[in-house]
């Protein structure tokens, strides 16, 4: 028998830009706040560039927007909503 108090939330589909949606935490209609964060891909690219002998260019990947993950948060309740990393 299913528990009627269980709420199942689907992962929201977010992209690289702010997304207008209903927050799954506070249920307000919001436009997400997007922050850039390094991901595993960013660290691996840095290590690869350094391993190929260009040590001074390795850290440059931390400044390239396409190498960073986009973290979406709610401006109302400040809860994490989703991550975009392509």
């Amino acid at each position: 028998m299913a528990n009627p108090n269980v709420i199942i939330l689907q992962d929201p589909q977010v992209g690289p830009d702010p997304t207008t949606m209903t927050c799954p935490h506070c249920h307000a209609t919001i436009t997400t706040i997007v922050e850039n964060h390094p991901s595993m891909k960013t660290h691996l690219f840095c290590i690869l560039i350094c391993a190929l002998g260009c040590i001074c260019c390795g850290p440059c990947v931390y400044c390239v927007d396409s190498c960073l993950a986009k973290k979406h948060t709610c401006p109302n309740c400040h809860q994490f909503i989703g991550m975009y990393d392509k």
Side-chain angles (χ1 to χ4, degrees):
M1 186 156 99
N3 185 346
N5 296 328
V6 174
I7 299 172
I8 299 173
L9 298 175
Q10 293 180 344
D11 290 331
Q13 297 297 319
V14 292
D17 300 318
T19 304
T20 301
M21 63 186 303
T22 300
C23 176
H25 304 285
C26 66
H27 306 291
T29 301
I30 52 115
T31 300
T32 59
I33 296 172
V34 179
E35 298 174 347
N36 291 331
H37 292 278
S39 65
M40 182 62 71
K41 177 177 69 172
T42 310
H43 302 310
L44 291 175
F45 280 147
C46 180
I47 291 169
L48 178 65
I49 291 170
C50 290
L52 293 175
C54 194
I55 294 172
C56 60
C57 295
C60 292
V61 297
Y62 293 97
C63 299
V64 177
D65 193 50
S66 62
C67 291
L68 299 171
K70 312 307 189 246
K71 179 182 174 184
H72 290 259
T73 56
C74 174
N76 191 33
C77 65
H78 305 290
Q79 294 290 319
F80 173 75
I81 293 178
M83 184 82 74
Y84 177 80
D85 188 17
K86 190 154 190 172

